[in-house]
């Protein structure tokens, strides 16, 4: 069993997330604890009131919500009663056994898992300390529950196969999924897991999932105020729909927080760089004949080259998104030999394949060679001088052929037309 704990800032968004899953049929609320009503007798607002009645008892706490996910192995198909029993045992072991909470079973992943929503505020208004709760209380509880209920241990659970699509985020299609939730899923999968040091590098990874971080025009107010919005892109890479403010998304991935990540990622960059360079070297050893062929080779290695071009179509930059090792690098940052200008020059030096004309000539030659040979009568030569080619006389014959004057030396006299003499007329005296 794998347990994950988050402390969201918004109670209503956390509860809304689970309730919308129930409305869509991809989740079901299977139980509650320490609530005034049963889970199947409460509507959304009654469930929300269960937690808000506790939260108002403490005005000082900034985070009052607990969101837990308990993930089981794909081989474990446990009945609802056993799942509820495991949830109650877990909450009791981490110190939330007396708190009101709701338990949801989700069906939107390839493995069985539960979501638990609770509050950190006790009935006396004090707040339960959640500092390091995941590393301390939760980890201990997980191991004890695995033994008590004979569950597959987290260390032995099958890891998902790493396909070319490396992140577990549904590609956003505007109008076909909940916009804000879809964008949040992509951001959670990319922002927290990839190594990047600038907004363009982050966007190179985000654009794979039709999402882009946008600061607006440089002369605009949003850019000057260091604002940031996230937009959805269509299949042509054009922004569509209403942009979403970074501050309105769970985790608030604002420009200020991203800039902190940029600096933090710089300290762990070298290890990712060496792995990507090794992958690029392996691809170049295959001798690609074009940039397009290089991109095809790299795609099989889970590396996506993003080419930057000007309006005339000239390539002036390249960025590599390493989905296998989850990092993003500009080619020039990896080294001069990985810049777009150097790669183009290197590929141009590869042994050229047959051109279209050469291929056509080769095919024609092969076709002629395979044709059945037909005996043909050689055309008779007009001039007898061409029949008298002897060894050592090729030069003289060539001179005759190239001579501009007509040659009648070897033509029979009877075939030569004689000129008529003009008779002189006698002058009349």
């Amino acid at each position: 069993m794998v347990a994950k704990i988050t402390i969201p800032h918004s109670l209503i968004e956390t509860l809304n997330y689970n309730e919308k899953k129930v409305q869509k049929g991809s989740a079901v609320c299977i139980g509650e604890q320490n609530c005034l009503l049963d889970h199947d007798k409460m509507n959304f607002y009654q469930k929300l009131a269960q937690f808000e009645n506790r939260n108002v008892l403490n005005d000082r706490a900034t985070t009052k919500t607990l969101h837990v996910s308990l993930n089981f192995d794909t081989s474990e198909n446990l009945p609802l009663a056993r799942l509820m029993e495991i949830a109650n045992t877990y909450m009791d072991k981490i110190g939330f056994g007396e708190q009101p909470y709701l338990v949801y079973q989700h069906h939107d992943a390839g493995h069985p898992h539960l979501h638990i929503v609770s509050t950190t505020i006790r009935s006396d208004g004090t707040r339960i300390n959640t500092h390091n709760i995941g590393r301390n209380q939760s980890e201990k509880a997980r191991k004890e529950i695995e033994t008590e209920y004979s569950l597959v241990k987290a260390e032995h659970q099958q890891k998902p196969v790493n396909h070319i699509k490396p992140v577990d985020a549904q590609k956003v299609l505007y109008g076909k999924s909940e916009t804000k939730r879809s964008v949040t899923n992509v951001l959670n999968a990319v922002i927290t897991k990839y190594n990047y040091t600038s907004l363009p590098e982050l966007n190179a990874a985000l654009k794979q999932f039709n999402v882009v971080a946008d600061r607006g025009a440089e002369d605009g107010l949003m850019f000057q105020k260091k604002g940031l919005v996230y937009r959805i892109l269509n299949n042509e890479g054009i922004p569509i729909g209403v942009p979403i403010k970074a501050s309105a998304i769970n985790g608030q991935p604002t420009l200020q927080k991203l800039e902190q990540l940029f600096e933090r990622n710089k300290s762990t960059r070298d290890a990712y760089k060496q792995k990507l360079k090794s992958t690029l070297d392996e691809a170049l050893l295959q001798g690609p004949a074009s940039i397009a062929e290089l991109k095809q080779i790299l795609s099989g290695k889970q590396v996506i080259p993003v080419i930057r071009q000007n309006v005339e179509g000239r390539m002036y930059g390249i960025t590599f998104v390493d989905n296998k090792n989850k990092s993003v690098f500009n080619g020039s940052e990896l080294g001069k030999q990985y810049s777009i200008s150097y790669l183009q020059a290197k590929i141009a030096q590869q042994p050229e394949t047959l051109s279209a004309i050469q291929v056509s000539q080769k095919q024609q030659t092969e076709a002629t060679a395979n044709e059945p040979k037909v005996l043909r009568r050689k055309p008779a030569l007009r001039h007898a001088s061409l029949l008298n080619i002897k060894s050592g006389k090729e030069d003289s014959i060539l001179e005759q052929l190239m001579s501009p004057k007509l040659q009648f030396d070897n033509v029979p006299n009877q075939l030569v037309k004689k000129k008529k003499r003009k008779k002189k007329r006698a002058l009349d005296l």
Side-chain angles (χ1 to χ4, degrees):
M1 184 181 77
V2 176
K4 297 182 179 179
I5 295 180
T6 57
I7 311 296
H9 288 276
S10 174
L11 166 64
I12 190 170
E13 286 188 2
T14 304
L15 186 60
N16 212 13
Y17 166 74
N18 289 279
E19 286 296 317
K20 284 191 174 181
K21 294 283 187 180
V22 174
Q23 293 178 1
K24 293 179 179 180
S26 58
V28 59
C29 186
I30 64 173
E32 84 296 325
Q33 195 70 7
N34 304 316
C35 295
L36 296 177
L37 297 174
D38 294 338
H39 66 279
D40 54 352
K41 295 180 180 179
M42 289 187 290
N43 59 30
F44 173 81
Y45 298 102
Q46 290 171 319
K47 292 176 181 177
L48 181 63
Q50 294 289 325
F51 303 115
E52 287 185 335
N53 290 339
R54 285 290 187 93
N55 292 347
V56 296
L57 300 177
N58 190 316
D59 295 331
R60 299 183 306 274
T62 56
T63 54
K64 305 176 184 181
T65 306
L66 182 82
H67 194 192
V68 179
S69 67
L70 301 179
N71 303 270
F72 305 92
D73 188 74
T74 54
S75 62
E76 296 173 320
N77 188 16
L78 304 173
L80 294 182
R82 178 55 62 91
L83 290 173
M84 192 65 198
E85 186 179 349
I86 292 173
N88 291 337
T89 303
Y90 175 83
M91 293 295 283
D92 186 58
K93 288 181 179 293
I94 67 172
F96 279 75
E98 301 298 324
Q99 297 297 101
Y101 58 84
L102 295 169
V103 182
Y104 296 84
Q105 183 188 30
H106 285 225
H107 307 288
D108 55 352
H111 62 280
H113 64 290
L114 301 176
H115 283 249
I116 307 173
V117 181
S118 184
T119 174
T120 62
I121 307 302
R122 298 186 181 96
S123 58
D124 60 359
T126 59
R127 182 183 182 277
I128 299 176
N129 184 13
T130 56
H131 182 66
N132 286 333
I133 188 174
R135 185 179 64 183
N136 298 331
Q137 295 94 318
S138 178
E139 188 67 9
K140 180 182 177 182
R142 174 188 69 80
K143 293 180 179 179
E144 292 176 354
I145 290 174
E146 286 174 346
T147 303
E148 183 178 350
Y149 292 92
S150 301
L151 301 176
V152 177
K153 295 183 178 181
E155 295 82 1
H156 299 160
Q157 286 193 19
Q158 297 179 358
K159 295 182 179 180
V161 179
N162 192 13
H163 297 290
I164 293 178
K165 185 179 179 180
V167 293
D168 187 15
Q170 182 182 4
K171 198 169 186 179
V172 175
L173 296 176
Y174 181 73
K176 295 186 179 181
S177 59
E178 186 185 350
T179 304
K180 187 175 179 181
R181 172 52 51 189
S182 298
V183 171
T184 302
N185 288 340
V186 172
L187 296 179
N188 289 340
V190 175
I191 289 179
T192 60
K193 296 180 181 179
Y194 277 65
N195 184 283
Y196 49 86
T197 57
S198 67
L199 195 62
E201 289 179 2
L202 172 61
N203 277 333
L206 289 177
K207 286 179 180 179
Q208 298 178 100
F209 309 101
N210 289 349
V211 176
V212 64
D214 184 14
R215 292 191 59 189
E218 293 186 6
D219 57 350
L221 183 61
M222 183 173 69
F223 188 93
Q224 296 173 4
K225 296 288 186 180
K226 287 198 169 183
L228 187 69
V229 296
Y230 292 92
R231 305 180 66 105
I232 295 177
L233 305 176
N234 61 14
N235 292 331
E236 286 73 36
I238 301 173
I240 57 175
V242 180
I244 305 172
K245 290 183 179 180
S247 57
I249 297 174
N250 285 346
Q252 296 185 334
T254 60
L255 182 62
Q256 182 180 2
K257 288 188 177 181
L258 291 178
E259 288 177 341
Q260 294 174 358
L261 285 174
F262 297 160
E263 293 300 320
R264 190 186 310 169
N265 289 339
K266 289 179 181 179
S267 60
T268 59
R269 202 128 169 95
D270 290 341
Y272 294 101
K273 181 184 293 188
Q274 294 303 321
K275 292 178 181 179
L276 179 55
K277 289 172 69 174
S278 298
T279 302
L280 295 177
D281 291 340
E282 291 175 4
L284 291 171
L285 283 175
Q286 299 185 34
S290 64
I291 295 294
E293 187 174 335
L294 175 62
K295 292 176 68 174
Q296 184 176 3
I297 295 173
L298 288 174
S299 65
K301 300 178 181 293
Q302 302 183 36
V303 174
I304 307 300
V306 180
I307 306 296
R308 297 189 295 279
Q309 295 177 297
N310 58 18
V311 292
E312 289 81 18
R314 186 180 64 85
M315 301 179 187
Y316 66 88
I318 186 169
T319 300
F320 298 98
V321 181
D322 187 351
N323 287 321
K324 181 178 180 181
N325 298 302
K326 296 180 175 59
S327 64
V328 186
F329 285 88
N330 283 329
S332 56
E333 183 181 355
L334 295 172
K336 181 180 178 181
Q337 63 272 34
Y338 304 104
S339 64
I340 188 62
S341 58
Y342 187 91
L343 289 174
Q344 286 179 305
K346 183 177 179 61
I347 289 174
Q349 294 174 359
Q350 298 290 346
E352 295 184 357
T353 56
L354 291 176
S355 64
I357 297 177
Q358 290 173 318
V359 170
S360 177
Q361 291 177 343
K362 182 179 179 181
Q363 292 175 346
Q364 185 176 359
T365 303
E366 292 176 352
T368 304
N370 294 330
E371 288 182 357
K373 294 182 178 180
V374 180
L375 293 177
R376 297 177 180 176
R377 181 177 297 175
K378 295 182 180 180
L381 297 178
R382 296 181 183 179
H383 306 293
S385 60
L386 297 179
L387 299 175
N388 297 327
I389 299 177
K390 295 183 179 180
S391 175
K393 295 186 177 180
E394 289 84 351
D395 294 339
S396 62
I397 295 175
L398 184 60
E399 291 177 0
Q400 293 181 26
L401 292 175
M402 299 298 292
S403 175
K405 68 177 182 178
L406 296 176
Q407 301 289 336
F408 293 102
D409 298 347
N410 296 321
V411 180
N413 292 332
Q414 61 270 25
L415 297 180
V416 177
K417 189 176 181 180
K418 296 181 179 179
K419 293 183 179 181
K420 294 182 178 181
R421 292 183 179 180
K422 292 183 179 181
K423 296 181 178 180
K424 295 181 179 181
R425 296 178 61 181
L427 295 175
D428 296 333
L429 299 176

